[in-house]
Amino acid sequence: MEGESGDITASSSNRKCSAVTGSARKTKDNAADWHNLMLKWERLNDDGFRAATSIVNLRRSQSDRLLVDESSSSSSPSLSSAAAAAQQVAAAAELQDECVKLQEVVDKMVAVVTKMGRLMTSQRGIRDLEEFQFGPEGRKVPLFHSWTSKQLEDSCHFLFAAFSQELRLKQTILQEVAHAATPDLGLVYLSCWLHQPFIPPNSRLTLEALLLETGHRPL
Amino acid sequence: MSKPAVISLHQALRRSFVCLENSQKVWRSVLLECGPLMESLGNLAEQSAALSSVQISNTPLRDFPELEDRLRFKLSQATDTVLSKLNDKMSSLQSVRDSVSNQLSAVQQQFEQNSDSLDVIDVTERSAATPSVADMMEWLQDAERHYRQQFLRRKTLLQTLRVDDFSLLESAPKRWKSLDSAEDPVTDTLCKVSFFMESQ
């Protein structure tokens, strides 16, 4: 999704010059918002991954140190224990720092998904309105190229479902990543964060279809 | 002075070495681009191995029943992407190999055509700046064989990888690197013929 932010972010100027109004206007703006929110999510995901990686690495070096301490304490008990303690405190502070960073990222992700939820609700509102205006069949002439309001709503719903599930996963990772019992589990958390298993590959396709349909992308 | 046959053979050799120099540059840069790809291949394998060794149902991730399959899918998709990029790189390496092979056969053909007018002195005579024709042809042949073997080894390495054999995948970057350290006859050759290439 990189490098395409310039295409649509100018929606305020679109708003002035294009002649689309009413439900079509609203839908078109929603599509642009979807695009921007998904870009924002990607950026947050990168930031969060950096924080999570340092958390896992810090934890790993911490447990390594514990092992070393244990083995050395048996042979030379009082060997620079003060220095080791100071080092431990510094590492703990750093770990806390990274956890706070990750918490901030997840908080922002919650905000993003909340906004996505609003987009979906507004899309559903448009469909309800059309049912009210044109009966259960909906409008006779499509708003844009070919999609019905139901199709528009369905794709919003699909995207929202994917992102809210992914957000749940991220929240779980946030709580657990600093407590991973084994290095392998830590790695699994990281690869979950990076690869976003609940965002299917065709979510990107759905977004593009939405943008194409609403005229943001040239047909 | 030299016979016309020797002069034309020298020209052919000079052309080939110029091509060899370019080939070496391309080869090097392609290999440089392969390094990070191999690293990420090993990294993805490590992630897959970790996923296999963790019993998801015993972890806080148990609330996500589809997680393991979905993550595995994403991992194999990412592996696929990396492998197809590597495949493209292999095609570049293959074209380098082919162009060096063509150079070699062009020189050999030239030699065959003129072999009647050449005697042992002509092909073995050398000066401080110009190695003998026999030596240069041998070096060119060595370079061609080097590329051929290198290409084959790397191709074999990639082809023996299996998606489900994580240890094989994890060790792949290391084995790939170990192929680099083998001595590089092409750089040697290019040094030996550098005066010859400059002379006209």
Side-chain angles (χ1 to χ4, degrees), chain B residues 20-36:
Chain B
L20 186 65
E21 200 172 21
N22 291 331
S23 298
Q24 177 74 343
K25 276 185 199 137
V26 175
W27 182 273
R28 283 270 172 85
S29 73
V30 173
L31 280 188
L32 220 58
E33 291 160 2
C34 286

Side-chain angles (χ1 to χ4, degrees), chain A residues 58-70 72-73 79-97:
Chain A
L58 281 169
R59 284 284 299 160
R60 204 179 276 192
S61 57
Q62 240 175 11
S63 59
D64 285 352
R65 207 173 306 127
L66 281 181
L67 281 178
V68 172
D69 284 352
E70 271 168 26
S72 66
S73 61
L79 183 79
S80 64
S81 59
Q87 206 180 13
Q88 231 162 11
V89 169
E94 204 180 332
L95 185 61
Q96 182 67 31
D97 256 16

Side-chain angles (χ1 to χ4, degrees), chain B:
Chain B
M1 268 331 280
S2 305
K3 292 182 187 174
V6 175
I7 291 175
S8 74
L9 208 49
H10 272 176
Q11 273 164 352
L13 280 164
R14 203 171 278 129
R15 271 197 303 276
S16 305
F17 285 127
V18 170
C19 282
L20 186 65
E21 200 172 21
N22 291 331
S23 298
Q24 177 74 343
K25 276 185 199 137
V26 175
W27 182 273
R28 283 270 172 85
S29 73
V30 173
L31 280 188
L32 220 58
E33 291 160 2
C34 286
L37 289 173
M38 290 307 292
E39 286 300 320
S40 53
L41 195 66
N43 200 292
L44 285 165
E46 206 183 329
Q47 292 179 48
S48 302
L51 181 60
S52 298
S53 73
V54 167
Q55 186 83 35
I56 293 285
S57 53
N58 293 335
T59 71
L61 294 173
R62 72 181 77 83
D63 296 343
F64 302 93
E66 291 176 342
L67 181 78
E68 187 171 349
D69 290 342
R70 280 172 175 271
L71 186 57
R72 208 171 279 293
F73 170 70
K74 286 267 182 163
L75 285 172
S76 58
Q77 203 186 24
T79 310
D80 240 27
T81 314
V82 174
L83 281 176
S84 82
K85 279 184 192 158
L86 278 170
N87 203 26
D88 292 346
K89 301 289 171 215
M90 288 314 285
S91 322
S92 313
L93 293 184
Q94 184 167 10
S95 61
V96 169
R97 181 201 67 177
D98 291 346
S99 92
V100 174
S101 297
N102 289 339
Q103 290 302 325
L104 175 67
S105 51
V107 169
Q108 280 171 336
Q109 204 175 3
Q110 183 98 21
F111 178 79
E112 300 281 325
Q113 280 167 1
N114 297 316
S115 58
D116 293 341
S117 54
L118 294 166
D119 53 34
V120 179
I121 305 287
D122 291 325
V123 294
T124 53
E125 191 179 41
R126 63 181 181 183
S127 68
T130 310
S132 70
V133 168
D135 276 344
M136 290 196 283
M137 284 185 68
E138 187 188 328
W139 295 335
L140 198 59
Q141 216 162 2
D142 286 346
E144 194 263 352
R145 191 177 52 235
H146 168 72
Y147 285 129
R148 210 150 25 88
Q149 282 182 344
Q150 275 278 313
F151 176 76
L152 206 63
R153 289 201 181 120
R154 292 181 191 273
K155 183 102 184 165
T156 314
L157 195 161
L158 289 181
Q159 282 187 335
T160 47
L161 296 178
R162 289 283 163 270
V163 184
D164 45 0
D165 192 338
F166 304 134
S167 60
L168 207 59
L169 277 168
E170 272 180 87
S171 65
K174 218 179 202 168
R175 286 181 288 138
W176 181 270
K177 254 212 176 83
S178 73
L179 291 178
D180 290 346
S181 61
E183 58 191 279
D184 183 355
V186 179
T187 315
D188 279 1
T189 299
L190 287 172
C191 284
K192 285 184 206 153
V193 298
S194 60
F195 287 122
F196 170 69
M197 279 162 74
E198 279 162 20
S199 67
Q200 201 47 260

